[in-house]
């Protein structure tokens, strides 16, 4: 269930209340006249089944509540109410299958913004992965994958394509490209420093690396795994199962590939630099394709389900 807290101009409250009352899956409606001060207006609260949330939010935006008032949405972890159970039963579809497009757009907007924190995490992840590839240490590679924040901008690009939001696409692409450029540049410097203090060596990079050699040798398995990870990551975002993102993060070799390319570049190893760059681009492309296809499929399936429910 979702909890909505609205601030509505007094002249629009009746329309908002009528919309909520007509929404199948909405319950626990509360109206507090003149309770809001900034902005001034009425406070309207209700609970709604997740599968009915997107339709209600779209209706509220059509009424202009997001510009003339306020719309706040929270997830209810526990609701002990027969009315809530009935609302969830009446709402068409399953809550786990529903996509809250406004929530997805907001989440990807935050995760795909080029910020100092984002650059710091991506750079640190790339440097950790650099240590992993030189030492041929799989544990460090997995740790670097988990730290890397690159799935946020990738999800932002997928969402922007499906929702036709060019600004989100531009912001996400900028965060992705600039982020990796900065992280790889700093990692080249980090590699040179580690070599200067005799912690890295060219011999380690060029030695047989059974645990990490795949990073600069992309193949069809790399593409398949990235596609599967892209689907899983997108589903975890749309179904609010964020815990699955950890599994996605350690399934693809974006950050390790960037790290291997940076270290190889610091030693002038063009073969590994190019192979790692191919691996990076292949993973980014596969995740974007898979994520976009997943969102389009979810959108189509949900619209078919809604039409079937309206007919019944």
């Amino acid at each position: 269930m979702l909890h909505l807290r609205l601030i509505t101009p007094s002249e629009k409250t009746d329309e908002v209340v009528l919309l909520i009352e007509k929404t199948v899956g909405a319950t626990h409606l509360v109206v507090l006249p003149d309770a809001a001060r900034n902005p001034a207006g009425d406070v309207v609260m209700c609970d709604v089944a997740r599968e009915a949330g997107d339709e209600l939010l779209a209706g509220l935006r059509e009424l202009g509540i997001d510009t003339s008032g306020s719309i706040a949405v929270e997830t209810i972890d526990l609701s002990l109410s027969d009315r809530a159970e009935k609302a969830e039963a009446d709402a068409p579809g399953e809550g786990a299958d529903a996509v809250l497009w406004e929530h997805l757009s907001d989440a990807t907007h935050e995760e795909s913004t080029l910020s100092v924190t984002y650059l710091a995490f991506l750079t640190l992840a790339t440097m950790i992965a650099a240590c992993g590839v030189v030492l041929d240490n799989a544990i460090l590679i997995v740790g670097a994958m988990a730290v890397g924040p690159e799935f946020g901008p990738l999800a932002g690009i997928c969402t922007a394509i499906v929702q036709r939001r060019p600004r989100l696409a531009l912001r996400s692409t900028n965060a992705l490209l600039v982020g990796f450029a900065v992280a790889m540049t700093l990692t080249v410097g980090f590699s040179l420093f580690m070599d200067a203090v005799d912690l890295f060596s060219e011999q380690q990079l060029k030695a047989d690396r059974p645990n990490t050699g795949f990073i600069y040798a992309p193949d069809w398995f790399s593409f398949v795994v990235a596609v599967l990870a892209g689907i899983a990551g997108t589903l975890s975002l749309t179904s609010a199962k964020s815990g699955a993102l950890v599994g996605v993060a350690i399934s693809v070799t974006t950050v390790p590939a960037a790290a291997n390319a940076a270290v190889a570049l610091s030693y002038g190893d063009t073969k590994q630099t190019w192979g790692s760059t191919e691996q990076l681009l292949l993973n980014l492309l596969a995740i974007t394709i898979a994520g976009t296809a997943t969102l389009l499929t979810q959108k189509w399936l949900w619209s078919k389900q809604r039409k079937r429910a309206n007919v019944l």
Side-chain angles (χ1 to χ4, degrees), residues 112-197:
S112 62
T113 301
L114 185 62
S115 63
V116 174
T117 301
Y118 168 82
L119 287 174
F121 270 113
L122 188 57
T123 300
L124 290 171
T126 308
M127 289 180 178
I128 293 172
C131 296
V133 297
V134 171
L135 298 175
D136 194 34
N137 189 313
I139 295 177
L140 291 177
I141 295 297
V142 171
M145 290 175 175
V147 172
E150 73 279 6
F151 191 80
L154 288 169
I157 294 173
C158 299
T159 303
I161 293 173
V162 175
Q163 292 292 88
R164 298 179 182 178
R165 297 190 176 188
R167 289 185 178 180
L168 178 59
L170 181 61
R171 183 186 303 109
S172 301
T173 303
N174 181 61
L176 198 64
L177 298 181
V178 174
F180 270 112
V182 170
M184 292 174 70
T185 300
L186 293 176
T187 302
V188 169
F190 174 73
S191 176
L192 293 173
F193 169 78
M194 295 292 279
D195 180 77
V197 296

Side-chain angles (χ1 to χ4, degrees), residues 205-206 215-218 260-261 264-265 268-278:
L205 182 69
K206 293 186 175 182
I215 291 173
Y216 58 89
N260 201 91
L265 183 62
D269 187 335
T270 56
K271 180 180 178 181
Q272 286 201 38
T273 300
W274 179 244
S276 301
T277 302
E278 283 186 327

